């Protein structure tokens, strides 16, 4: 089954053919660490975490690089406001970011470089651009000349005038052209800075990612991803400087971008009181519900974050856990090695069972359709108890990044009065015994106790079944 991804550069879905099928390379723009991550930041991290998981399932090796921008004027401004060193701010919110992402079950990347560790690589790339005539020095700044890159604007699909008009472009007297962007800028004595051939200063934002991606992934790699707000100017400028430094038309095969996140139909804003950090949400909601809600809309589309979307995700997870709970004594749960061996021996069969799930994931990571397919697999497992279906579910749930805890833990942390499956079965057995001795008062009492603890029982000719409500 072929994988297709939407390529922002071509504005079309294309079949994904990795440069090296034995080692896929992907780079995702990480956070600028000056404050807590908000739910919009989390959407990009969760979406591309699923991309990482899909690729890891399909290919033998994936080299995933996600950077940390720990030198930026926003960090410096925050340090001035708090009267501390900029590195303290960066370290604090780097740690907070890692904690938040771990809570959302976002896998750590293969490499997570910090910009401040790559200043020599940036200086080398800037020097190459100056030497080749793509960049110039002016008043202590080094700037990339967009006139030297004919396909500038191709990624954002706007002409030069549109890009400059109303966009995040600084018009300054030291620029030859208004669209030229900074590679290196001077620092005052109070600001963080490093020695360079052009004087003490600090890097521009865009050169950081070009230097780090090239170091880990080479002159050309498979996927560069991030939020749609990064297409211009960040990714447009990255593309221009990287291609010019390396001397090739393209350094990235696929550019992928997730859509904006809005809240109850409005742009998320602190002034509107609808700004949510990941930390705040985790204090009120189970991490799995947050993660699933972030995947409930196709990654390219805008995601409207609502209380209803979180509630719907909780209800879906309730159904999944009710079924999975009945199988948690299976050897697949007790010994992951047994599961891996079973999957390896029955991979074709498992992929047939999960055909709709994989088809959705391989079709530009269509997570809403994949979630529907997964729910159908859960229902089939409940109806049949088939071991092959259970194995397929355990494979697919790892790609979604869901069902990471025991059922009892899920229900406990979802504010449901919790009782273990073993206790439920004991109570049902006691109720059955009471009914056999015609002690219907006790039988009804046990039924009502179970109902109060969120468990509904159903009697039939084949026995008594139960499920959580």
């Amino acid at each position: 089954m072929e994988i297709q991804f939407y390529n922002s550069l071509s504005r079309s879905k294309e079949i994904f053919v990795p440069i090296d099928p034995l080692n896929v390379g992907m780079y995702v723009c990480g956070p600028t660490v000056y404050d807590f991550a908000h739910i919009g930041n989390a959407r990009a991290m969760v979406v591309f975490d699923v991309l990482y998981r899909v690729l890891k399932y399909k290919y033998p090796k994936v080299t995933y690089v996600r950077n940390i921008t720990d030198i930026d004027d926003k960090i410096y401004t925050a340090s001035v406001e708090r009267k501390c060193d900029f590195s303290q701010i960066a370290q604090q919110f780097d740690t907070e970011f890692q904690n938040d992402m771990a809570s959302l079950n976002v896998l750590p990347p293969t490499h997570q470089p910090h910009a401040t560790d790559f200043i020599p690589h940036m200086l080398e790339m800037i020097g190459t651009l100056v030497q080749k005539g793509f960049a110039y020095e002016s008043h202590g700044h080094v700037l990339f000349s967009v006139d030297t890159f004919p396909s500038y604007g191709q990624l954002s699909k706007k002409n030069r005038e549109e890009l400059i008009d109303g966009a995040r472009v600084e018009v300054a007297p030291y620029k030859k052209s208004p669209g030229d962007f900074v590679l290196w800028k001077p620092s005052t004595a109070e600001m963080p800075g490093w020695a360079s051939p052009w004087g003490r200063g600090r890097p521009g934002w865009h050169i950081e990612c070009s230097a780090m991606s090239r170091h880990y992934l080479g002159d050309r790699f498979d996927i560069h991803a991030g939020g749609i707000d990064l297409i211009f100017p960040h990714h447009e400028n990255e593309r221009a400087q990287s291609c010019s430094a390396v001397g090739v038309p393209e350094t990235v095969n696929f550019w992928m971008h997730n859509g904006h996140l809005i809240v109850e139909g409005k742009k998320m804003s602190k002034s509107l009181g609808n700004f949510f950090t990941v930390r705040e949400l985790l204090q009120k909601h189970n991490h799995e519900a947050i993660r699933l809600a972030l995947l409930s809309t196709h990654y390219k589309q805008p995601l409207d974050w609502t209380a209803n979307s979180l509630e719907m995700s909780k209800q879906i997870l309730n159904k999944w856990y009710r079924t999975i709970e009945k199988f948690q004594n299976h050897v697949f749960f007790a010994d992951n090695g047994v599961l891996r061996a079973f999957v390896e021996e029955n991979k074709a069969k498992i992929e047939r069972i999960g055909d709709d799930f994989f088809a959705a994931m391989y079709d530009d990571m269509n997570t809403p359709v994949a979630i529907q397919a997964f729910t159908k697999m859960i229902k089939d497992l409940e109806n049949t108890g088939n071991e092959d279906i259970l194995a397929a579910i355990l494979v697919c749930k790892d790609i979604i990044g869901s069902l990471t805890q025991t059922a009892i833990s899920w229900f406990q942390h979802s504010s449901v009065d919790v009782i273990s499956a073993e206790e439920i079965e004991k109570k049902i057995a006691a109720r059955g015994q009471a009914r056999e001795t015609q002690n219907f008062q006790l039988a009804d009492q046990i039924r009502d106790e179970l109902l109060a603890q969120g468990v509904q029982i159903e009697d039939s000719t084949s026995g008594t079944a139960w499920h959580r409500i």
Side-chain angles (χ1 to χ4, degrees):
M1 197 182 296
E2 291 178 327
I3 298 181
Q4 292 187 89
F5 294 132
Y6 183 85
N7 190 345
S8 297
L9 186 60
S10 66
R11 290 294 194 273
S12 64
K13 276 200 290 191
E14 300 175 12
I15 295 172
F16 178 69
V17 180
I19 297 167
D20 179 0
L22 299 178
N23 186 6
V24 176
M26 64 178 283
Y27 185 93
V28 173
C29 287
T32 300
V33 283
Y34 68 98
D35 206 344
F36 293 103
H38 57 68
I39 194 62
N41 302 139
R43 186 189 189 194
M45 297 301 103
V46 169
V47 160
F48 297 120
D49 176 64
V50 173
L51 172 61
Y52 181 38
R53 291 167 183 264
V54 168
L55 294 173
K56 277 168 64 72
Y57 176 81
K58 183 75 172 176
Y59 298 99
K61 183 180 179 182
V62 181
T63 300
Y64 174 21
V65 183
R66 188 183 70 208
N67 73 297
I68 298 291
T69 297
D70 60 346
I71 174 63
D72 185 270
D73 288 354
K74 290 179 181 177
I75 302 173
Y76 174 68
T77 300
S79 70
V80 172
E81 291 172 352
R82 302 182 193 195
K83 298 179 180 179
C84 62
D85 187 76
F86 87 97
S87 63
Q88 289 179 264
I89 297 292
Q91 288 169 10
Q92 176 191 346
F93 290 109
D94 183 359
T95 300
E96 297 290 356
F97 173 79
Q98 305 303 335
N99 292 340
D100 287 346
M101 294 308 105
S103 296
L104 293 175
N105 193 28
V106 172
L107 297 175
T110 316
H111 303 286
Q112 191 163 232
H114 290 69
T116 51
D117 292 330
F118 280 78
I119 300 296
H121 302 76
M122 298 176 209
L123 291 173
E124 181 182 356
M125 183 173 274
I126 294 169
T128 298
L129 290 168
V130 171
Q131 184 182 3
K132 288 185 173 183
F134 295 108
Y136 59 93
E137 182 184 5
S138 177
H139 296 82
H141 295 76
V142 182
L143 300 110
F144 184 89
S145 174
V146 296
D147 289 335
T148 64
F149 191 67
S151 66
Y152 189 81
Q154 190 172 326
L155 180 60
S156 53
K157 294 294 182 288
K158 294 181 180 180
N159 60 41
R160 290 269 304 282
E161 289 72 26
E162 288 177 311
L163 291 173
I164 294 168
D165 184 24
R168 289 178 291 170
V169 171
E170 180 191 10
V171 178
Y174 51 78
K175 292 183 178 183
K176 291 181 180 178
S177 172
D180 294 350
F181 57 88
V182 171
L183 301 172
W184 189 261
K185 50 191 173 185
S187 293
T188 64
E190 297 79 21
M191 288 179 167
W194 291 262
S196 83
W198 313 283
R200 183 178 178 276
R202 60 201 191 280
W205 175 30
H206 318 300
I207 196 68
E208 298 175 8
C209 286
S210 288
M212 289 184 279
S213 62
R214 188 181 185 188
H215 174 79
Y216 287 106
L217 300 173
D219 288 347
R220 189 174 183 116
F221 56 95
D222 296 298
I223 297 171
H224 194 316
I228 195 169
D229 57 309
L230 297 180
I231 290 182
F232 185 83
H234 187 48
H235 288 167
E236 192 75 72
N237 292 352
E238 263 194 80
R239 176 176 173 266
Q241 65 198 11
S242 292
C243 293
S244 299
V246 176
V248 295
E250 302 294 342
T251 57
V252 175
N253 281 2
F254 281 78
W255 289 90
M256 297 177 67
H257 297 92
N258 66 277
H260 291 293
L261 183 141
I262 56 178
V263 178
E264 303 286 354
K266 297 179 181 178
K267 183 177 179 180
M268 186 169 63
S269 166
K270 290 181 179 178
S271 63
L272 294 175
N274 65 352
F275 186 93
F276 301 108
T277 66
V278 176
R279 186 184 190 187
E280 290 167 339
L281 287 168
L282 285 169
Q283 290 171 352
K284 299 177 182 178
H285 304 281
N286 190 285
H287 65 278
E288 287 204 49
I290 296 171
R291 182 182 174 98
L292 196 64
L294 289 169
L295 298 174
S296 63
T297 300
H298 192 283
Y299 79 92
K300 290 205 315 295
Q301 302 303 317
L303 170 62
D304 193 2
W305 186 260
T306 67
N308 186 54
S309 62
L310 261 177
E311 186 57 36
M312 287 185 67
S313 294
K314 288 178 185 177
Q315 294 304 321
I316 291 170
L317 284 158
N318 282 343
K319 292 176 184 177
W320 292 358
Y321 271 110
R322 283 179 194 135
T323 298
I324 287 296
E325 181 178 29
K326 300 171 186 177
F327 297 87
Q328 285 193 255
N329 290 327
H330 195 283
V331 66
F332 288 165
F333 287 94
D335 191 333
N336 198 44
V338 172
L339 173 63
R340 286 198 304 269
F342 183 88
V343 170
E344 195 61 36
E345 292 175 11
N346 299 275
K347 195 166 187 178
K349 185 190 296 183
I350 286 167
E351 290 189 351
R352 281 198 303 273
I353 293 169
D355 180 65
D356 290 343
F357 176 89
F358 288 107
M361 282 298 190
Y362 291 171
D363 183 16
D364 194 28
M365 246 179 19
N366 194 333
T367 53
V369 174
I371 289 167
Q372 291 174 6
F374 188 79
T375 300
K376 184 180 182 302
M377 291 166 65
I378 291 282
K379 187 175 181 180
D380 291 344
L381 175 64
E382 187 171 28
N383 292 337
T384 66
N386 185 284
E387 185 179 65
D388 295 341
I389 298 176
L390 176 61
I393 284 171
L394 295 180
V395 169
C396 295
K397 68 100 172 171
D398 283 345
I399 294 175
I400 303 173
S402 291
L403 299 178
T404 61
Q405 53 196 306
T406 64
I408 196 165
S409 175
W410 160 256
F411 288 112
Q412 186 176 31
H413 291 98
S414 296
S415 301
V416 175
D417 191 12
V418 70
I419 179 174
S420 71
E422 185 179 359
E423 290 174 302
I424 293 169
E425 296 291 353
K426 284 181 180 178
K427 288 202 171 194
I428 288 175
R431 177 176 175 270
Q433 197 170 25
R435 293 178 73 191
E436 284 179 12
T437 59
Q438 297 190 343
N439 188 347
F440 298 114
Q441 184 178 357
L442 177 58
D444 289 346
Q445 180 184 329
I446 294 171
R447 179 199 61 201
D448 293 342
E449 286 174 359
L450 286 169
L451 190 61
Q453 291 175 296
V455 178
Q456 186 167 8
I457 59 177
E458 297 172 357
D459 297 316
S460 68
T461 55
S462 59
T464 301
W466 62 271
H467 64 270
R468 297 190 189 273
I469 56 176

